[in-house]
Amino acid sequence: MLTLSRPGRLLLCAGSAVALSLFAVAAQATDWKKAKEVTVVTTESKFTPNKLTLRRGIPYRLHVENRGKEMHEFNAADLFKAAKINNPAVLNADKTELVLHPGETKDLYFIPRQAGHFKLVCPDHDWAGMTGEITVE
């Protein structure tokens, strides 16, 4: 039978804790290729659809297309701040919105972490009704 000294037991326990931590991180790795796609189309004064329902903890690929003749923003500031974002470079400098020029498309990979109701708005066209809501269950 092998008997370890106190320092040996401490080292073994510490090593086990590190191994378990690494295992937990690996188990939590996200396969972004399997992200659920959600498509939103922007046109003049409108998001289609303008109401989205997502689930907390699920990876999504938000595909936004600007089919309008003007630049549009997909601003969901509170949602994006509360989410795990895989590709933050696609967002504006404040990390609050996708900015799309006419004919442009962008994909944002993210995982909602907080349940609730989040405002969706195009700040330049909200006065014309370009608003919506994103619900995370």
Side-chain angles (χ1 to χ4, degrees):
M1 177 176 190
L2 177 65
T3 305
L4 295 175
S5 65
R6 180 172 166 77
R9 287 192 305 264
L10 290 175
L11 185 59
L12 181 62
C13 288
S16 297
V18 169
L20 285 173
S21 295
L22 291 174
F23 178 76
V25 168
Q28 292 176 357
T30 302
D31 184 356
W32 292 103
K33 293 176 186 172
K34 294 182 180 180
K36 184 173 180 176
E37 184 176 341
V38 175
T39 299
V40 176
V41 175
T42 67
T43 54
E44 271 45 88
S45 306
K46 188 170 154 181
F47 292 111
T48 305
N50 71 342
K51 294 188 187 299
L52 301 173
T53 301
L54 308 175
R55 295 195 52 212
R56 187 171 55 91
I58 303 292
Y60 288 93
R61 176 170 70 110
L62 175 64
H63 178 77
V64 182
E65 303 176 12
N66 183 353
R67 294 187 190 165
K69 295 178 182 176
E70 298 181 39
M71 184 175 73
H72 292 296
E73 296 91 7
F74 185 101
N75 183 302
D78 292 337
L79 172 66
F80 295 156
K81 287 177 184 176
K84 175 184 176 185
I85 307 290
N86 185 53
N87 58 334
V90 75
L91 293 169
N92 67 339
D94 295 334
K95 307 297 183 222
T96 57
E97 64 188 16
L98 294 163
V99 178
L100 297 107
H101 295 280
E104 190 174 19
T105 64
K106 290 188 178 179
D107 291 322
L108 177 69
Y109 290 84
F110 71 102
I111 299 174
R113 291 193 231 181
Q114 178 181 340
H117 298 280
F118 300 91
K119 188 166 92 171
L120 169 61
V121 63
C122 176
D124 293 335
H125 300 104
D126 57 340
W127 57 268
M130 196 166 182
T131 62
E133 183 178 73
I134 301 170
T135 301
V136 177
E137 300 175 333

